[in-house]
Amino acid sequence: MTKSDESRPLKDRTKLVHAGRHPFEQHGFINTPVYRGSTVLYRSYADLVARNAKYTYGTHGTPTTDALETAWTEITGAAGTVLAPSGLSAVALALLTVVKAGDHILVSDSVYQPTRSFCERFLTRIGVETTFYDPWLGEDIASLIRPNTSVIFLETPGSQTFEIQDVPAIVAVAAAKGLCTILDNTWATPLFFQAHGFGVDLVVEAGTKYLSGHADLLLGLVSANARWFPRLHATFDLFANCPGPEDVFLALRGLRSLELRLREAERQGLALATWLVERPEVARVLHPALPDCPGHAIWKRDFRGSSGLFSAFLKPTSQKALAAFLDGLKLFGMGYSWGGYESLVIPFDCSSYRSATKFAPEGPALRFSIGLEDPDDLKADLAAGFERLKAAG
Ligand SMILES: *Cc1c(COP(=O)(O)O)cnc(C)c1O
């Protein structure tokens, strides 16, 4: 634990700089090095029999993975954290920590699409049934609970469409019924949404996004409260699905500047979102920090900030015009994932798989991840794109 001398708790930004580091256990060097290894030697037969060693085998943890887990536990306010080799594998680990054959689970209709596929294509195979629920449901989610329901899975804001869930209302229902809550907190990170503080049991973060911040690694983290951490850790040990040490090291490097980058992502994201609101080609911008965005009031009540990822619906136009807009962009790259230093845009269409809500914008839907470029340059790139769109439309 990183502590200040007085009893006053340290601010997040300070914690991010100091958490999980022990320079004088490594000759004074600031950063925990990359420990590579499978075998860990025991000093004696007696130690081997008693498993009397801090580290016992590569899959069970190294000083490098410990550093990130300890830091993340401190920043999330959890009882403990385990790592996974991707965000999606962290989602799977969290679910498999809780469910058993015969269970029923409730999953928000606007979860990250591969989370949905994991439920539909894998959990069904082990006898777990999923009901997808409208993310706008608050306490009324109680009406969907069955005697065998074990999990309520949340993701706020929702992937691509940015619905803000009423987490306190859902957690209260889950607590009253003894259900486990799992929340994918990738958009806000613990800096902008303290999910464990709201009583969520297991919290997933795709470290691939803002923790990395540089589009150069894949990583997942699952943090748990005291009730669930022993079972999470035991499940992690059963799978031994651990990330590579180089990626963990890079995530630790990203951690130190996470607050700084996230604040800038917020500023840049809002600058571009408010600019898009004024464009005649744009029908609607979905960004929870904009006052007329659905869910804004709940966002304001529960969140401490917004990140640089949001969506926009364009006014109806042709595929040819959309292609002209996208293909000529010089600064915005087109590709999956987000949260790096570079700006991205990706068209999306949820209409074929959302089941509890209707996705039917009149025009194309685009998701933007705003990077660290100068916002004037980004606006100019998009403005030129809108000129091409008009010319082709
Ligand atoms: C990207 C993402 C994931 C998965 O992360 P990967 O590391 O790409 O597997 C999970 N949840 C959300 C909300 C994401 O955006």
Side-chain angles (χ1 to χ4, degrees), residues 86-89 91 112 155 159 184 186 206 208-209 218-219 338:
S86 69
L88 184 60
S89 66
V91 167
Y112 177 61
E155 183 182 316
S159 270
D184 185 331
T186 301
T208 306
K209 312 291 166 57
L218 292 158
L219 193 81
W338 47 275

Side-chain angles (χ1 to χ4, degrees), residues 84-91 110-115 153 155-160 184-187 204-209 217-220 309 336-338 367:
S86 69
L88 184 60
S89 66
V91 167
S110 53
V111 282
Y112 177 61
Q113 198 273 334
T115 297
F153 192 104
E155 183 182 316
T156 180
S159 270
Q160 298 173 313
D184 185 331
N185 200 30
T186 301
W187 182 83
V204 172
E205 180 81 23
T208 306
K209 312 291 166 57
L217 69 92
L218 292 158
L219 193 81
L309 186 81
Y336 292 98
S337 204
W338 47 275
R367 191 189 67 183

Side-chain angles (χ1 to χ4, degrees), residues 165-169 198 295-304:
Q165 296 199 252
D166 191 342
V167 177
F198 283 93
H296 174 72
I298 303 176
W299 173 81
K300 212 168 164 181
R301 182 191 71 190
D302 296 344
F303 285 66
R304 297 173 178 179

